Amino acid sequence: MGPHPAVAAIRLAVRRVLHDVLNELSELPHEIPHGLSHAAVGSGRPGRAARLATAEPPLVLVACSGGADSMALASALAFEARKLAVRAGGVTVDHGLQAGSGSRAAEVAARLTELGLDPVEAIAVTVGRDGGPEAAARDARYAALDEAADRLGAAAVLLGHTRDDQAETVLLGLARGSGIRSLSGMAAVSPSGRYRRPFLQLDRQTARKACLVQQLPVWDDPMNADPAYTRSRLRHEGLPALEKALGKGVVEALARTAQLSRDDADALDAWAADVDASVRDETGLLDCAKLYALPPAVRRRVLRRALVTAGSPAGSLFARHVEEVERLITGWRGQRAINLPGRVEALRQGGRLVIRQG
């Protein structure tokens, strides 16, 4: 008799991701050319090429909070890694936002060790205030995961986001009036290739059921039910109200919207990258007349790329900022320089768009 359907589903999802990681690693050079760093060969993931050179099995980490989604992911990784040439490890992050968080992180680490993961680390972080509590906690968490992955030489880090999380992310982007990139939600594979989300096609209930039938203890973070947090209100009030008004299937429809939006956004980003050089003069400045001739969606992407390259932080650069700069192209009436995040300014001079850091 095979495993419970929920357990089989999570294992299959993880197996596919591990095969992807192994296939990508097999395509890397087996020797590091003289003078080339590990990071350069590993496309931004230090340790990948080094591991191939020493024939050491690659390490895949799971980021685990102790909740049902990430515990199900950890159990599936532990099971599948034993059948493949993969070492499985785990990281849990203590945000220090609740009483007893250190002890809870230690308990999660112990559970990961019991599953057979090695290495396992519990990492304490200090959460700042930039962007609000949810964004600040996320930034601190990813910084800790990046540091651990670099230090341990991990080939990939698995995250337990589900289809329900994807639907919530799409709705949050919609509520902010964001563009199509925001509506595309979370990527199954991050641009660097480090972060993987095996469960984006699975619902939250499948992960919880997998934990139940495997008798895995889980911790339900009270912050996930706290109405003070936007995502919590959306999860417990917004989505249920939508399903009541529109019928079942809202989560699945939003997840499909994310994938369709991602495909469109990727195509537009590629278009913008291709035309970037053609809308610049011989000195590298953006030509306003050539920018004006571009479709708006492509023009805004070219502008955003230029602003980020000049030093404006991508996470602080919003659609309204890009729209203000775009008006220097489409509605210029002698406006002065526009100040942007990262002390970057944009101004129009002699038919050229000058973007520089002040």
Side-chain angles (χ1 to χ4, degrees):
M1 184 176 179
H4 186 279
V7 176
I10 64 169
R11 288 177 178 176
L12 176 60
V14 170
R15 189 184 317 143
R16 287 171 172 166
V17 168
L18 293 182
H19 278 299
D20 289 343
V21 171
L22 289 173
N23 288 338
E24 292 169 16
L25 288 172
S26 69
E27 296 172 358
L28 288 176
H30 286 264
E31 294 183 0
I32 303 174
H34 179 70
L36 189 61
S37 70
H38 290 171
V41 176
S43 301
R45 281 164 279 174
R48 293 203 336 165
R51 189 169 301 105
L52 284 175
T54 59
E56 183 182 7
L59 172 65
V60 175
L61 298 174
V62 59
C64 185
S65 67
D69 302 341
S70 57
M71 281 303 299
L73 182 59
S75 70
L77 174 61
F79 181 86
E80 293 296 332
R82 287 193 290 267
K83 302 190 295 181
L84 299 169
V86 172
R87 293 182 298 130
V91 175
T92 186
V93 177
D94 171 19
H95 297 87
L97 298 176
Q98 301 170 17
S101 63
S103 298
R104 191 171 300 110
E107 291 173 4
V108 173
R111 292 173 189 169
L112 296 179
T113 300
E114 289 172 4
L115 287 172
L117 301 184
D118 181 35
V120 170
E121 296 190 357
I123 302 175
V125 299
T126 300
V127 176
R129 297 183 178 182
D130 292 346
E134 292 170 285
R138 182 176 61 250
D139 290 345
R141 179 168 61 254
Y142 277 102
L145 293 174
D146 279 335
E147 187 279 329
D150 287 342
R151 176 167 41 81
L152 297 172
V157 179
L158 306 189
L159 305 175
H161 298 116
T162 65
R163 186 170 62 192
D164 300 79
D165 296 308
Q166 185 74 297
E168 294 163 7
T169 302
V170 172
L171 283 177
L172 289 170
L174 185 63
R176 289 193 297 266
S178 303
I180 194 171
R181 176 55 70 187
S182 182
L183 297 183
S184 66
M186 297 174 286
V189 182
S190 67
S192 70
R194 166 170 284 170
Y195 293 102
R196 314 280 174 134
R197 297 181 172 91
F199 289 175
L200 284 186
Q201 301 302 317
L202 300 177
D203 60 27
R204 190 174 290 139
Q205 190 57 38
T206 297
R208 185 167 289 276
K209 185 66 175 178
C211 289
L212 179 64
V213 299
Q214 294 179 100
Q215 297 182 321
L216 294 174
V218 300
W219 172 65
D220 290 316
D221 187 346
M223 292 177 66
N224 290 335
D226 188 342
Y229 297 99
T230 304
R231 187 177 285 268
S232 175
R233 294 196 301 273
L234 180 59
R235 180 174 301 178
H236 297 287
E237 301 173 23
L239 269 173
L242 280 176
E243 291 205 331
K244 183 178 180 180
L246 302 176
K248 295 293 183 181
V250 170
V251 169
E252 292 85 346
L254 288 168
R256 286 196 302 274
T257 296
Q259 186 56 59
L260 293 170
S261 298
R262 181 166 297 279
D263 291 342
D264 290 348
D266 287 345
L268 289 168
D269 285 348
W271 187 352
D274 287 342
V275 303
D276 187 88
S278 68
V279 295
R280 295 179 182 271
D281 64 14
E282 61 279 0
T283 67
L285 293 177
L286 290 165
D287 186 299
C288 294
K290 293 178 179 178
L291 283 170
Y292 186 85
L294 292 175
V298 179
R299 179 170 58 238
R300 285 191 288 269
R301 281 166 167 77
V302 171
L303 293 175
R304 180 178 175 82
R305 283 166 52 90
L307 295 172
V308 171
T309 300
S312 195
S316 302
L317 190 62
F318 303 135
R320 57 184 172 82
H321 295 129
V322 179
E323 289 168 0
E324 284 297 317
V325 176
E326 187 181 27
R327 273 192 276 274
L328 294 175
I329 310 300
T330 61
W332 187 62
R333 297 292 185 274
Q335 299 100 309
R336 294 184 178 180
I338 296 172
N339 295 317
L340 300 154
R343 297 185 298 108
V344 171
E345 67 173 14
L347 67 157
R348 179 167 174 158
Q349 289 182 341
R352 300 294 185 267
L353 189 65
V354 180
I355 299 175
R356 62 196 180 195
Q357 199 162 36

